[in-house]
Amino acid sequence: MPTAKDSSEVIVFAPATVANVACGYDVLGFAIDEPGDYIVARHADKPGLRITAITGDDGKLPLDPEKNTATVAALDLLHHLGMTDRGIEIEIHKRMPFGSGLGSSAASAVAGAYAVNKLIGEPLSKMQLLPFAMTGEASADGAWHADNVGPCLLGGIVFIRDNDELDVAQLPVPKNLWAAVVHPDIEILTKVAREILPKDIPLANATQQIGNLGGLLCGLIQSDYGLISRSIHDVIAEPRRQKLIPDFYKAKRAAMAAGALGFSISGAGPSVFALCEGKEIAEEAGEAIAKVFNTIPLSNQVHISPVNQKGVQVVDKIPELK
Ligand code: HSE
């Protein structure tokens, strides 16, 4: 695995994210510490942006820079800066499963834009990179929502007032807020999970969802764990999408019995998450959820993490696979 040698090369890590956070469909998300994707960007003599290697994708990702999420984001940035003839080589090291609900394509898009921006001397701030990373992600799932890209780029818990205007705000993260995120080994295409949602929703559901979203935001701002817990409910997407996740409600009951504040689907699924007060409860909730999937049996990976407040960042090297 490569190690950054000098300023002619940059290695970045972009973390997984939990989108929606139950009641914030398309408008709320947070980053976790692991897993995530790595991208190496380096200067090259030959003009233009090229992908020189992709690992961890089972050969599924295109090497064509115009088609790969990471380089679509980077190219959009270079185009904006009038620098498309810069010689840049990109290596992509995927460490996140596809169709996992962990924001895999968002992480690659963010990493692509961020790595190239760093390599060329950081002309733009993280916040200014948001539209370019969004273009990259949209090239993968065709939808325009910043609830993965936002927290992956900026870190923390990010609320999006308007996805078209990309009007986003970072929320304070209560001390001791942890997440157990469990990925069962099935794949759900975001496109499919979006198609099963209704175009219109009853007013009563909208009112409930707005109440819960407002409650969750207030709970986060005031570090009020009771209010956070009462607010983690999704009456719009979860009731429809849970069908795609085996034993979803069993897993939910197990997480809540372990003391979680709340439980729902991470993004479009199949990953699920439990928000918890403290690491210990998060570990217990993670174990309880994994036990439900193991009983099916359905293999799964458990990630216990505080909210990652850094977002995408430069790293010294890419760790070996465990
Ligand atoms: N908010 C999106 C969804 C996240 O739930 O479809 C998936 O990328």
Side-chain angles (χ1 to χ4, degrees):
M1 281 295 154
T3 306
K5 290 175 204 92
D6 50 50
S7 58
S8 68
E9 178 174 284
V10 60
I11 302 176
V12 309
F13 170 76
T17 42
V18 171
N20 301 337
V21 202
C23 47
Y25 179 73
D26 277 359
V27 299
L28 191 64
F30 66 86
I32 58 173
D33 285 347
E34 288 278 344
D37 287 345
Y38 292 85
I39 280 192
V40 185
R42 61 176 72 89
H43 294 295
D45 293 334
K46 195 172 156 196
L49 185 76
R50 274 178 313 283
I51 301 175
T52 52
I54 306 180
T55 66
D57 70 326
D58 288 332
K60 286 184 191 155
L61 293 179
L63 278 158
D64 178 349
E66 309 254 355
K67 297 199 175 122
N68 188 299
T69 307
T71 40
V72 168
L75 280 172
D76 195 34
L77 169 67
L78 290 168
H79 185 73
H80 168 81
L81 296 170
M83 295 168 82
T84 41
D85 55 1
R86 272 283 180 119
I88 297 175
E89 290 178 354
I90 298 282
E91 277 176 30
I92 301 166
H93 300 281
K94 289 296 296 177
R95 292 285 172 92
M96 263 196 266
F98 297 105
S100 61
L102 295 171
S104 173
S105 46
S108 289
V110 165
Y114 186 75
V116 167
N117 188 57
K118 274 276 173 194
L119 188 75
I120 59 177
E122 215 169 353
L124 300 191
S125 68
K126 270 192 172 184
M127 190 62 100
Q128 288 172 321
L129 292 179
L130 186 57
F132 309 106
M134 287 289 292
T135 305
E137 199 211 3
S139 73
D141 81 357
W144 187 263
H145 47 86
D147 49 347
N148 292 112
V149 165
C152 179
L153 183 66
L154 305 170
I157 306 174
V158 172
F159 172 64
I160 302 112
R161 185 199 62 81
D162 188 295
N163 273 300
D164 293 325
E165 291 176 26
L166 289 179
D167 186 1
V168 307
Q170 269 177 302
L171 292 159
V173 179
K175 236 198 241 164
N176 226 13
L177 186 67
W178 282 69
V181 181
V182 184
H183 170 244
D185 280 330
I186 50 173
E187 194 175 321
I188 294 179
L189 295 176
T190 303
K191 195 170 174 292
V192 172
R194 293 179 80 81
E195 274 166 11
I196 61 173
L197 300 182
K199 295 274 166 293
D200 301 302
I201 51 165
L203 184 59
N205 282 358
T207 310
Q208 269 179 298
Q209 198 89 349
I210 293 166
N212 282 324
L213 179 59
L216 181 52
L217 300 188
C218 289
L220 292 168
I221 291 164
Q222 297 169 357
S223 288
D224 181 338
Y225 282 103
L227 183 54
I228 291 172
S229 182
R230 294 196 299 283
S231 306
I232 304 175
H233 295 290
D234 172 12
V235 297
I236 295 174
E238 183 185 296
R240 276 104 186 170
R241 287 179 169 177
Q242 54 81 22
K243 303 180 194 83
L244 307 173
I245 305 168
D247 280 350
F248 175 83
Y249 286 121
K250 260 196 201 168
K252 183 169 190 161
R253 281 194 297 275
M256 297 311 287
L261 298 164
F263 172 98
S264 193
I265 303 169
S266 175
S271 291
V272 292
F273 75 96
L275 268 184
C276 303
E277 184 176 358
K279 185 180 182 189
E280 248 172 57
I281 299 178
E283 282 170 348
E284 279 165 30
E287 213 173 290
I289 298 164
K291 203 169 155 192
V292 170
F293 290 138
N294 289 339
T295 309
I296 294 175
L298 177 55
S299 58
N300 58 87
Q301 300 85 45
V302 180
H303 305 284
I304 306 295
S305 175
V307 173
N308 171 338
Q309 308 231 33
K310 292 193 188 126
V312 65
Q313 56 178 315
V314 171
V315 293
D316 293 337
K317 61 181 173 91
I318 302 178
E320 295 299 329
L321 278 171
K322 284 176 202 142

